């Protein structure tokens, strides 16, 4: 699943290509969006900006309209010159936003909704989001307190709970716990506040770096049975939590307290 840093990069790329441009074409295979387009006449509107909130990508149009998409596992947005060959099959196309200069194509995006700024804030998936780990202004102490309130949860699971802090996904869950030397299976309630604070700080640093440049390589994520970069112990991996997301960690560097 794309994480906050990937969505952030996608939003920035889309914003560069689309902001200030006029919509010449708006197509969607989603009946609701096609209908909205017929009613609201997307063509002729200006794309004001594209940004991200947590893992939601938001495209803002003139006249108080915003297109919210969520990528889930396989969704992505691409930018093409008009007439350029698409890199994914036409059957995966969900939305096309055309301008004279570029077209933006959403492939396999499962969640898409055209709404107003006010209704966006009322949408539970957006309204209930915790502070965005990538936001310019970020209240780390608030996030640490929110996580600490989930005393019974495993720390790794708490990091994925978008209501506590938004934007962290499965990769940076493992990576930030490794950097902070915290065991992924530790109950939040057993961890001192400074440990939780170190994890949040690591997640923010790693993801901010990744949002502006592709990471050179991960420390633990995807490195099962390969040597820890710090101590040489073979990296462990195991499914964790309700959604059985795979967690990677070093048993030596991240010993339970
Ligand atoms: Zn290690």
């Amino acid at each position: 699943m794309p994480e906050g840093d990937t969505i952030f990069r996608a939003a920035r790329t889309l914003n560069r290509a689309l902001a200030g441009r006029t919509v010449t074409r708006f197509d969607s295979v989603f009946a609701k969006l096609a209908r909205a387009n017929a009613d609201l006449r997307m063509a002729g509107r200006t794309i004001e900006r594209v940004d991200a909130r947590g893992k939601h990508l938001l495209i803002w149009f003139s006249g108080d309209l915003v297109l919210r998409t969520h990528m889930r596992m396989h969704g992505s947005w691409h930018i093409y010159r008009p007439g350029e060959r698409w890199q994914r099959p036409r059957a995966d196309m969900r939305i096309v936003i055309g301008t004279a200069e570029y077209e933006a194509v959403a492939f396999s995006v499962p969640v898409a909704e055209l709404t107003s700024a006010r209704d966006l804030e009322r949408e539970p998936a957006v309204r209930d989001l915790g502070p965005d780990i990538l936001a310019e202004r970020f209240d780390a102490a608030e996030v640490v307190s929110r996580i600490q309130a989930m005393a019974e949860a495993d720390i790794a699971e708490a990091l994925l709970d978008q209501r506590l802090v938004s934007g962290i996904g499965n990769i940076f869950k493992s990576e930030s716990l490794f950097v902070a030397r915290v065991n992924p299976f530790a109950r939040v309630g057993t961890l001192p506040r400074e440990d939780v604070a170190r994890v949040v700080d690591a997640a923010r640093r790693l993801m901010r770096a990744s949002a502006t440049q592709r990471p050179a390589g991960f420390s633990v994520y995807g490195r099962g049975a390969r040597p820890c970069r710090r101590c040489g112990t073979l990296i462990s991996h195991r499914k964790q939590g309700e959604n059985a997301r795979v967690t990677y960690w070093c048993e030596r560097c991240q010993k339970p307290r």
Side-chain angles (χ1 to χ4, degrees):
M1 182 183 294
E3 304 194 22
D5 60 315
T6 308
I7 307 298
F8 186 95
R9 277 200 304 269
R12 198 181 38 200
T13 305
L14 287 170
N15 188 62
R16 279 193 196 128
L18 301 178
R21 309 219 188 260
T22 304
V23 177
T24 54
R25 170 187 174 204
F26 187 98
D27 286 329
S28 180
V29 298
F30 294 124
K32 252 172 91 177
L33 283 190
R35 225 174 20 247
N37 180 36
D39 295 343
L40 300 166
R41 299 180 184 218
M42 299 306 291
R45 288 179 192 263
T46 304
I47 300 161
E48 293 177 340
R49 68 182 186 282
V50 183
D51 54 26
R53 189 134 17 126
K55 299 185 198 171
H56 301 262
L57 188 130
L58 306 174
I59 303 179
W60 302 80
F61 299 91
S62 57
D64 189 26
L65 276 179
V66 51
L67 177 66
R68 174 178 72 89
T69 54
H70 194 293
M71 314 295 180
R72 296 263 188 255
M73 297 304 267
H74 304 295
S76 59
W77 277 95
H78 291 189
I79 289 282
Y80 297 104
R81 290 283 184 183
E84 191 182 339
R85 196 190 157 87
W86 292 354
Q87 288 169 17
R88 288 184 62 170
R90 202 150 276 272
D92 292 349
M93 183 279 265
R94 299 293 177 269
I95 307 165
V96 178
I97 302 171
T99 68
E101 299 82 0
Y102 292 103
E103 62 185 9
V105 187
F107 294 101
S108 304
V109 166
V111 178
E113 174 192 48
L114 206 46
T115 184
S116 66
R118 186 200 283 183
D119 286 345
L120 176 72
E121 299 305 330
R122 290 177 178 162
E123 162 61 42
V126 173
R127 184 191 62 204
D128 299 340
L129 284 178
D132 188 332
I133 191 80
L134 289 167
E136 211 52 54
R137 291 216 312 255
F138 179 73
D139 187 346
E142 159 72 13
V143 166
V144 171
S145 298
R146 283 177 181 228
I147 291 175
Q148 283 194 299
M150 306 293 278
E152 291 303 309
D154 291 1
I155 180 69
E157 285 295 286
L159 292 177
L160 293 179
D161 188 335
Q162 303 295 302
R163 294 165 304 177
L164 306 178
V165 54
S166 63
I168 302 177
N170 207 39
I171 295 175
F172 286 100
K173 169 194 88 178
S174 289
E175 291 292 295
S176 47
L177 287 164
F178 175 77
V179 167
R181 297 196 182 221
V182 170
N183 187 268
F185 303 92
R187 293 280 150 128
V188 169
T190 68
L191 292 172
R193 185 173 170 93
E194 75 227 33
D195 280 14
V196 179
R198 222 168 45 248
V199 174
V200 170
D201 178 66
R204 180 162 167 83
R205 269 188 300 115
L206 293 170
M207 293 190 72
R208 295 265 292 184
S210 175
T212 47
Q213 64 203 33
R214 287 193 178 276
F218 297 123
S219 297
V220 285
Y221 183 82
R223 299 193 63 245
R226 287 158 66 194
C228 171
R229 298 193 199 278
R230 203 185 266 150
C231 74
T233 301
L234 300 186
I235 298 295
S236 304
H237 60 118
R238 158 142 73 94
K239 288 180 180 166
Q240 183 176 15
E242 271 174 34
N243 298 317
R245 310 294 306 279
V246 179
T247 296
Y248 294 86
W249 81 107
C250 171
E251 291 188 15
R252 183 150 174 225
C253 292
Q254 296 168 267
K255 276 202 188 106
R257 275 182 173 261

